[in-house]
Amino acid sequence: MSAAYDTSPKPLQDLHERVALVTGASSGIGEAIAEHLVRRGVHAALFARRSERLEALAERLSVHSEGEHPGETLVITGDVRQEEDVQRAVQATLDRWGKLDIVVANAGFGYRLSVVEGDTQRWKEMIDTNVYGLLLTLKHGVAPLLERGSGHVIVMSSVAGRVPTPGGAAYCGTKFAATAIADSLRQEVGPKGVRVTTIEPGVVISEFQQVAQYAPEIVPNMLKGAEPLVPTDIARAVVFALEQPAHFAVNEMVVRPTGQAYP
Ligand SMILES: NC(=O)c1ccc[n+]([C@@H]2O[C@H](COP(=O)([O-])OP(=O)(O)OC[C@H]3O[C@@H](n4cnc5c(N)ncnc54)[C@H](OP(=O)(O)O)[C@@H]3O)[C@@H](O)[C@H]2O)c1
């Protein structure tokens, strides 16, 4: 039986000269992923709404020591909720480097209030960003990968996409959706050579908590004294998935602080 298969261990992939589009690259997890990719020689299109933050990141990544061969960057300002912005980002990436290998669909934000107290406008913005914006990123970002029959898609979901919590109805809903969307996509594109990895982090300290307007007790209640994750931890998880040989797809990674029991 085994003679029918090549069972030799395959080497890890070198990411040098790969091309990535990273949404939500202006802060936190997306910024750390972009940095880790560029330092490994990946050319990265940095996409978000705050252009000055993206420019500052691009500037920082352009400085390197002798002997290092980092990738190039391209700043693209836009909103994942706007289809023309997402299309423009994909096209600009293709125009610059002639291909796209990696799509990191990371842009998103949280908001916690009970169903009865929740602000309906904030729900709409969050669903538009975390669900519709994700779908737009995947629709336009995955097409060039399919054309070449290879590539890797990273979808940033959350432990909130596995465990519902009181106060989390809307956010958990968007992240359950993200996990489902990613796994549907995996089944569509895996047989065509494109890998999909869903990352589901627990508490990561970033601007997320500020944007979500978390009350001061929320994070300590989740951590109960545990050391939280930082964006670099998630970037390392992403690099681990990307570097695996082409036949090996990390479908899902749940990454919590060691001491975080819930959610
Ligand atoms: N931090 C956590 O504890 C945690 C845990 C699990 C999952 N996550 C997920 O990880 C992802 C990144 O979060 P983070 O912790 O890095 O938070 P963050 O530091 O606030 O970063 C969020 C990023 O998303 C971008 N973004 C938001 N809305 C956007 C829009 N409409 N169009 C384009 N970009 C948009 C922001 O850029 P601009 O504002 O410049 O547009 C920013 O770059 C999110 O999907 C979040 O749900 C976070």
Side-chain angles (χ1 to χ4, degrees):
M1 183 63 186
S2 63
Y5 299 101
D6 172 6
T7 55
S8 61
K10 308 294 182 303
L12 291 177
Q13 300 201 47
D14 178 7
L15 301 181
H16 204 252
E17 299 290 333
R18 298 283 167 88
V19 174
L21 168 62
V22 182
T23 72
S26 62
S27 165
I29 294 171
E31 181 176 1
I33 293 171
E35 171 157 10
H36 279 246
L37 295 185
V38 170
R39 300 251 183 250
R40 278 170 177 74
V42 176
H43 303 312
L46 313 173
F47 183 87
R49 293 165 301 179
R50 287 171 294 174
S51 50
E52 68 291 349
R53 295 281 294 256
L54 297 176
E55 295 288 357
L57 174 62
E59 179 66 32
R60 187 154 56 80
L61 294 179
S62 70
V63 179
H64 56 91
S65 325
E66 219 182 290
E68 287 181 341
H69 302 286
E72 300 160 2
T73 56
L74 174 66
V75 167
I76 307 167
T77 309
D79 187 325
V80 287
R81 297 170 296 182
Q82 302 298 329
E83 187 163 13
E84 57 277 17
D85 288 6
V86 176
Q87 282 178 295
R88 178 170 49 79
V90 172
Q91 195 53 54
T93 309
L94 294 171
D95 290 347
R96 171 72 174 266
W97 292 297
K99 63 169 185 167
L100 180 58
D101 301 298
I102 300 164
V103 175
V104 182
N106 163 78
F109 71 91
Y111 172 64
R112 285 182 72 83
L113 265 187
S114 73
V115 172
V116 171
E117 295 165 311
D119 178 83
T120 53
Q121 192 50 39
R122 200 68 180 144
W123 284 348
K124 265 202 179 124
E125 288 165 8
M126 188 168 63
I127 292 165
D128 273 359
T129 306
N130 297 6
V131 182
Y132 182 61
L134 169 63
L135 281 165
L136 290 177
T137 304
L138 299 177
K139 176 177 173 60
H140 296 292
V142 175
L145 276 54
L146 281 177
E147 268 171 39
R148 296 177 71 231
S150 68
H152 203 140
V153 182
I154 304 289
V155 173
M156 199 55 61
S157 184
S158 170
V159 292
R162 297 175 72 89
V163 185
T165 52
Y171 180 63
C172 293
T174 68
K175 291 300 180 180
F176 267 74
T179 300
I181 289 164
D183 207 57
S184 294
L185 178 73
R186 177 186 67 75
Q187 295 171 53
E188 290 170 10
V189 302
K192 298 175 181 164
V194 175
R195 300 187 291 180
V196 179
T197 301
T198 309
I199 313 272
E200 296 159 332
V203 175
V204 181
I205 299 301
S206 69
E207 288 173 26
F208 179 90
Q209 291 78 23
Q210 232 172 285
V211 175
Q213 297 173 325
Y214 273 7
E217 70 278 6
I218 289 184
V219 167
N221 278 347
M222 286 179 187
L223 289 172
K224 302 214 179 329
E227 181 178 344
L229 298 176
V230 292
T232 292
D233 296 317
I234 308 305
R236 287 186 183 139
V238 168
V239 168
F240 172 85
L242 292 174
E243 283 185 339
Q244 297 311 310
H247 72 285
F248 172 6
V250 179
N251 296 152
E252 260 184 294
M253 287 178 95
V254 186
V255 232
R256 287 186 180 88
T258 303
Q260 183 187 340
Y262 172 84

